[in-house]
Amino acid sequence: RVFRHFELSTSMGRLRSLQVFVVGHARQPGVYTVSSLSTLLNALFMSGGPSISGTMRHIQLKRAGKVITDFDLYDMLLKGDKSKDVQLLSGDVIYIPPIGALSAIAGSVNTEAIFELKGNESLADLLDLAGGLTNVAAGQKVTVERIHGREIRKVDEFNLDSQGLAKPM
C-alpha cells in the first residue's frame, strides 16, 4: 500500500536499568539490577519471593524512608489482583517482614493448606482462602482447634451459619 499526506516520527531510547534492594525474609536477599519497566512483583519473582519464614501478606516497598505500598501476595496469587503492584525506581527497598499468624485448614475443603492471616480474618475468610467447601462436605459444622500460648489446646465446634462464619480465627 502507498500512504500519502501523512507524517511519521519515531524516537528510539534505551531502557535504563535500576538497582533495587530486596531485604528481610526473602529466599535470596540482595541487590538486583532490573529494567526501568520492572515492578515490585518482577523483583519479588527475581529474588525467589518470601522465604519460609517471610510474610506473603505485608511485603513493603520503601522509597526514601517511606512505605509506598504494602503488597499482599495472596491478592495476586488467589484473586489475580495486582492493583498494589507499583513501578520501581532506583534505590527502592523491598522489605519482607517475618511471617505472621498462621492457620491450617484441612478436611472437606478444596485446598488444604496452612494460610497466613492478616489478623482480622473470620472463619468465612479462611474458608474462602481454601477455595470453599468441597461438593461432598457435610456443610453444617466445623471443628476449630486452637493453641493458646503455645501450651493449651482448645477445641471449638461452630455451626456453619452466619454467626459461626463470623467467628474470628
Side-chain angles (χ1 to χ4, degrees):
R1 288 187 136 173
V2 176
F3 297 97
R4 298 173 194 232
H5 307 294
F6 76 94
E7 287 185 34
L8 174 68
S9 64
T10 62
S11 63
M12 301 280 287
R14 276 198 175 164
L15 288 178
R16 297 180 303 123
S17 58
L18 316 167
Q19 280 197 329
V20 295
F21 302 87
V22 180
V23 298
H25 294 265
R27 283 192 195 270
Q28 299 171 7
V31 179
Y32 288 86
T33 302
V34 297
S35 145
S36 60
L37 300 176
S38 295
T39 65
L40 168 65
L41 202 49
N42 299 126
L44 273 177
F45 283 128
M46 286 180 73
S47 70
S51 69
I52 197 155
S53 62
T55 186
M56 293 181 81
R57 305 300 305 262
H58 293 289
I59 298 169
Q60 299 173 355
L61 174 65
K62 296 182 177 188
R63 184 174 295 152
K66 295 181 180 168
V67 176
I68 302 300
T69 190
D70 187 359
F71 190 75
D72 185 347
L73 201 51
Y74 277 25
D75 287 341
M76 172 60 188
L77 297 173
L78 299 176
K79 301 174 189 169
D81 177 11
K82 52 182 257 165
S83 60
K84 289 193 175 182
D85 188 19
V86 295
Q87 194 147 5
L88 296 173
L89 297 178
S90 196
D92 281 352
V93 175
I94 298 169
Y95 172 62
I96 303 175
I99 197 166
L102 300 173
S103 183
I105 187 166
S108 295
V109 291
N110 287 312
T111 306
E112 291 183 342
I114 299 172
F115 293 100
E116 182 180 1
L117 303 176
K118 275 189 160 180
N120 56 354
E121 281 91 352
S122 65
L123 177 58
D125 296 326
L126 186 59
L127 285 171
D128 189 42
L129 288 174
L133 298 173
T134 63
N135 291 338
V136 296
Q140 290 90 22
K141 291 186 179 187
V142 65
T143 303
V144 176
E145 182 178 336
R146 302 172 192 261
I147 303 170
H148 294 280
R150 294 182 171 84
E151 295 175 1
I152 301 169
R153 288 182 183 257
K154 182 180 175 190
V155 177
D156 294 317
E157 190 171 87
F158 302 119
N159 289 327
L160 284 176
D161 56 11
S162 59
Q163 191 176 15
L165 290 171
K167 295 288 185 183
M169 292 291 104

